[in-house]
Amino acid sequence: MKRLCAKAALELVPDHGTIGLGGGETISYLCEYIKEAGKAIEAITPSDQTKKVCKQLGITVIDINEAQDVTIAFDGCDEVDQNLNAYKSGGGIHTKEKIIAKMAQEYVLLVDETKVVEKLDCKVPIVLEIVPEAASYVTKEAKKLGAKVKERNEKLLELYFEGISDLKKLDQDLKQITGVIEISLFYQIAAKVVVAGTDGIKIIER
């Protein structure tokens, strides 16, 4: 399924230029297909594993600060809804991932059909990257918004909600808490989602 998704994503990769690559197995497969296709691209990535794969394949990786025009960026996610809002909570590198997503002209998520839902549920936490010294304050403010808070480490807090009535407002409220660097809710950032399923490939566009 992941290879099928990566193969479909290859059709969106330009023949040359700079692209963004996230982390995960599907992205690794995409790197392999990019190399096989002989595309003259260079990549920016927040993922050490993806950097390693690119190096092994001979794909040039440049520093994010060196990137000028990023044509397209690909990434996976933990869950995505029909409006292309997504949780990217697992890896804990969502701040750098979101920077790359914003730099790109187009941000594309690669998933299998099990990760697509009608509306984001609360099975997956929203992770906050925080200034460590703000942990106590951020926790208190997050609880005011109805969250149960779990500390993953000194820089990451996991927020669990029983229900989310207004995703846009929650996105804004969490970002406005002093001490929060970025959140793992990707609200209205993806342009399209490539979905691999038992019936083949489906593309959802916003």
Side-chain angles (χ1 to χ4, degrees):
M1 200 79 77
K2 291 179 179 180
R3 282 195 175 276
L4 180 67
C5 192
K7 195 72 172 179
L10 179 65
E11 297 180 15
L12 302 174
V13 177
D15 292 330
H16 52 80
T18 304
I19 69 170
L21 295 171
E25 198 172 3
T26 305
I27 297 296
S28 294
Y29 291 144
L30 177 57
C31 291
E32 292 178 13
Y33 292 138
I34 288 171
K35 179 64 176 179
E36 289 175 9
K39 291 182 179 285
I41 58 95
E42 57 186 12
I44 54 174
T45 178
S47 166
D48 291 337
Q49 176 60 29
T50 300
K51 287 179 185 175
K52 182 179 178 181
V53 170
C54 286
K55 186 176 180 179
Q56 291 171 343
L57 294 169
I59 297 173
T60 300
V61 176
I62 64 171
D63 188 86
I64 294 173
N65 284 322
E66 296 176 7
Q68 297 298 319
D69 298 313
V70 182
T71 307
I72 192 168
F74 300 92
D75 212 343
C77 67
D78 299 298
E79 192 172 87
V80 61
D81 68 17
Q82 296 293 331
N83 294 315
L84 277 60
N85 302 307
Y87 291 137
K88 289 187 53 58
S89 308
I93 56 173
H94 54 266
T95 298
K96 291 181 180 179
E97 290 174 327
K98 195 170 281 189
I99 290 169
I100 292 173
K102 291 287 190 176
M103 289 172 70
Q105 295 173 27
E106 187 174 46
Y107 181 59
V108 180
L109 294 173
L110 310 179
V111 300
D112 66 69
E113 60 187 359
T114 64
K115 294 185 177 180
V116 180
V117 295
E118 187 65 32
K119 180 181 177 182
L120 290 184
D121 55 36
C122 300
K123 296 176 182 176
V124 179
I126 295 175
V127 179
L128 310 186
E129 181 175 349
I130 63 166
V131 176
E133 291 79 2
S136 178
Y137 173 73
V138 174
T139 297
K140 182 179 72 174
E141 294 300 304
K143 286 181 177 178
K144 289 180 182 178
L145 297 174
K148 291 183 180 178
V149 184
K150 177 183 176 184
E151 185 178 300
R152 185 185 295 184
N153 57 47
E154 65 173 5
K155 293 183 178 181
L156 298 174
L157 296 178
E158 297 180 356
L159 272 54
Y160 294 85
F161 293 89
E162 290 186 3
I164 301 173
S165 57
D166 190 334
L167 205 60
K168 180 179 180 179
K169 186 175 187 305
L170 181 63
D171 179 63
Q172 293 172 341
D173 288 346
L174 291 175
K175 288 176 179 177
Q176 287 173 359
I177 298 174
T178 301
V180 172
I181 297 171
E182 191 49 90
I183 71 175
S184 70
L185 170 61
F186 278 48
Y187 178 78
Q188 297 290 280
I189 294 178
K192 63 181 62 169
V193 181
V194 178
V195 185
T198 52
D199 295 328
I201 292 293
K202 179 175 72 171
I203 295 180
I204 305 172
E205 297 191 57
R206 178 156 60 86

